[in-house]
Amino acid sequence: MNVYTDNAATTKLSRAALDAMEPVLTDVYGNPSSLHSLGQRAKEYLEQAREDVAAAVGADPKEIYFTSGGSEADNQAIRTGAYLGAKKGKKHIISSKFEHHAVLHTLSALEKEGFSVTLLDVYENGIVRAKDVANAITDETCLVTIMTANNEIGTVQPIKEIGEICRARGVLFHTDAVQAVGHIPIDVRDMNIDMLSLSAHKFHGPKGTGALYARRGILLKNIIDGGAQERGKRAGTENLPAIVGMAAAIKEATANMKENSAKITLMRNRLIEGLKDVERSRINGDMNCRLPGTLNMCFEGIEGESLLLLLDAKGISASSGSACTSGSLDPSHVLLALGVPVEIAHGSLRLSLSEYNTMEEMDYVVKSVKEVVSYLRSISPVWDKIKMEEK
Ligand SMILES: *Cc1c(COP(=O)(O)O)cnc(C)c1O
């Protein structure tokens, strides 16, 4: 049986997205900046996609800028906050310890350019506390950037409260909502969000396309200079097929959100039921404030990498945490931020679901994970040591 449970890394392109892309890949190949009719037809597709993406997050189409994905949107939002702050002599940024590397590495680069960065604790449950944000804001603070939902453990942050605090204190608020958009309801007005990043391939759209929402009045700082596309804020001929695919995917995800979320939650609960009693295992992150489809567990005495490879041999695609850090043997910065001990963090497994999964697959995953964990423990000196110490 082949089972894909790595939807937090990327998702399968939906049929609706593919169908929407087809005419733009074949007939409507004009450049949206061209003045002739073919260009203008392309432009109509582009602006319809902008309306669809805006509607999905409660924004105005003029507030949506298409980018090459979540990473670029994060970079541009954070550089904008930093640049606008520096103009007023404010060079302090607040974020959290378990952000995506697109955020953390942009912040390290800014530190080298003279900004100071406070990374807030996420506690054992993997949730930033709004009052910690309030306490960390100083007269120097220009930007707060906190992710909506974590990509490794799936915990959802109190975005509306954090946005309210930032608004009241006159500090710009950006959220990396790449894991959240298309999965849980997002409304940029209601949640007091100034800038938001989203990425198509996390909700069954194509890879290499995303968007940055920036509230009206926020003058974005360019990170790609050139032509006047995206109202002068992001140069380069638009990836129209991908943008149109993203719009179709976001419409579909929004329309089916309730139904998908209910189905996915049932499947995730089946995984939890099946795996929670495995000896010396733990579920990482708050059990209530979380995305429907993401489950992250640690199994003591084994290596996450070995677990993944043996699951792969059984046809199961899973992850030990973030796809972006796989290849390095360092334990996940997210699990360490939660206070999970290094040796336990090494034995992590992330299973992330989508509406394309089935209950039957969940039963197969439970059975396979149990088999592989007990096999790896049977050959693990670390496990032997743990059992010896128990006696
Ligand atoms: C996937 C992901 C990104 C990066 O998005 P890309 O479109 O792959 O660049 C950023 N943040 C989070 C939380 C993600 O899950």
Side-chain angles (χ1 to χ4, degrees):
M1 190 184 246
N2 280 316
V3 185
Y4 186 75
T5 52
D6 200 12
N7 287 278
T10 196
T11 57
K12 179 187 160 105
L13 189 71
S14 80
R15 173 48 64 177
L18 181 61
D19 288 347
M21 290 167 79
E22 217 260 343
V24 193
L25 284 162
T26 52
D27 299 336
V28 195
Y29 52 83
N31 186 323
S33 299
S34 297
L35 293 178
H36 48 66
S37 342
L38 189 58
Q40 290 311 297
R41 264 185 75 204
K43 173 95 176 152
E44 282 165 24
Y45 274 88
L46 181 68
E47 295 315 320
Q48 182 58 51
R50 200 183 305 281
E51 276 180 35
D52 294 339
V53 171
V57 295
D60 187 273
K62 289 200 175 62
E63 298 171 314
I64 297 295
Y65 300 82
F66 293 122
T67 67
S68 68
S71 299
E72 187 189 325
D74 284 343
N75 274 256
Q76 190 167 14
I78 293 168
R79 292 234 165 236
T80 294
Y83 176 76
L84 295 176
K87 282 212 286 198
K88 296 190 227 157
K90 298 180 175 204
K91 298 186 84 172
H92 175 234
I93 301 173
I94 299 168
S95 187
S96 82
K97 287 183 181 164
F98 75 166
E99 297 294 314
H100 191 272
H101 283 141
V103 169
L104 290 178
H105 291 174
T106 304
L107 294 175
S108 331
L110 286 169
E111 274 184 316
K112 294 199 184 90
E113 295 168 29
F115 287 82
S116 71
V117 174
T118 302
L119 296 183
L120 299 176
D121 204 349
V122 295
Y123 300 94
E124 214 185 307
N125 63 352
I127 296 181
V128 172
R129 295 185 189 167
K131 78 171 190 334
D132 289 353
V133 176
N135 292 337
I137 294 177
T138 70
D139 292 342
E140 301 291 303
T141 310
C142 56
L143 175 71
V144 171
T145 173
I146 304 283
M147 70 201 320
T148 306
N150 183 271
N151 47 304
E152 289 190 31
I153 59 173
T155 50
V156 175
Q157 311 303 310
I159 293 305
K160 183 173 173 167
E161 288 85 335
I162 295 172
E164 215 165 87
I165 291 164
C166 294
R167 195 61 56 88
R169 304 280 291 272
V171 175
L172 279 180
F173 176 45
H174 164 251
T175 186
D176 173 342
V178 171
Q179 288 290 329
V181 169
H183 301 275
I184 57 174
I186 299 289
D187 185 306
V188 291
R189 304 250 179 279
D190 177 57
M191 297 163 92
N192 312 300
I193 298 167
D194 294 318
M195 291 183 279
L196 172 145
S197 311
L198 63 89
S199 175
H201 75 103
K202 303 293 174 75
F203 50 78
H204 305 291
K207 292 161 186 60
T209 198
L212 172 58
Y213 149 81
R215 184 171 51 76
R216 194 187 319 243
I218 296 175
L219 208 59
L220 287 180
K221 175 168 172 48
N222 284 60
I223 53 175
I224 299 182
D225 292 310
Q229 291 90 356
E230 299 300 295
R231 293 182 300 287
K233 296 303 169 194
R234 201 286 187 178
T237 304
E238 301 85 350
N239 184 354
L240 191 60
I243 290 169
V244 167
M246 167 163 67
I250 209 169
K251 269 171 73 177
E252 192 184 26
T254 308
N256 301 329
M257 192 181 288
K258 260 208 167 119
E259 187 187 327
N260 288 344
S261 174
K263 178 182 176 196
I264 293 168
T265 303
L266 284 178
M267 291 190 288
R268 183 200 68 203
N269 289 347
R270 177 78 67 103
L271 291 178
I272 294 177
E273 273 313 302
L275 294 173
K276 72 176 173 13
D277 294 329
V278 172
E279 192 184 357
R280 284 188 178 262
S281 69
R282 67 168 80 188
I283 296 173
N284 297 308
D286 194 88
M287 289 304 287
N288 300 311
C289 292
R290 54 163 60 236
L291 295 172
T294 306
L295 176 65
N296 187 305
M297 295 187 72
C298 285
F299 301 95
E300 286 185 45
I302 64 171
E303 285 290 338
E305 274 70 21
S306 324
L307 178 55
L308 289 191
L309 292 176
L310 292 179
L311 287 175
D312 188 42
K314 291 177 180 286
I316 298 170
S317 309
S319 158
S320 62
S322 166
C324 317
T325 44
S326 57
S328 85
L329 284 177
D330 293 338
S332 138
H333 72 286
V334 172
L335 297 182
L336 297 184
L338 261 62
V340 177
V342 178
E343 64 283 7
I344 298 181
H346 271 298
S348 62
L349 173 69
R350 178 184 69 185
L351 298 167
S352 47
L353 313 179
S354 86
E355 63 274 29
Y356 298 130
N357 289 115
T358 65
M359 259 323 172
E360 195 191 354
E361 290 177 350
M362 297 305 107
D363 294 336
Y364 179 66
V365 170
V366 167
K367 179 171 150 281
S368 306
V369 170
K370 283 178 149 168
E371 278 169 16
V372 173
V373 168
S374 34
Y375 167 69
L376 286 172
R377 282 175 172 175
S378 74
I379 56 165
S380 157
V382 181
W383 182 249
D384 285 347
K385 190 160 163 272
I386 291 170
K387 297 309 278 182
M388 289 285 280
E389 280 163 7
E390 267 180 5
K391 286 180 190 148

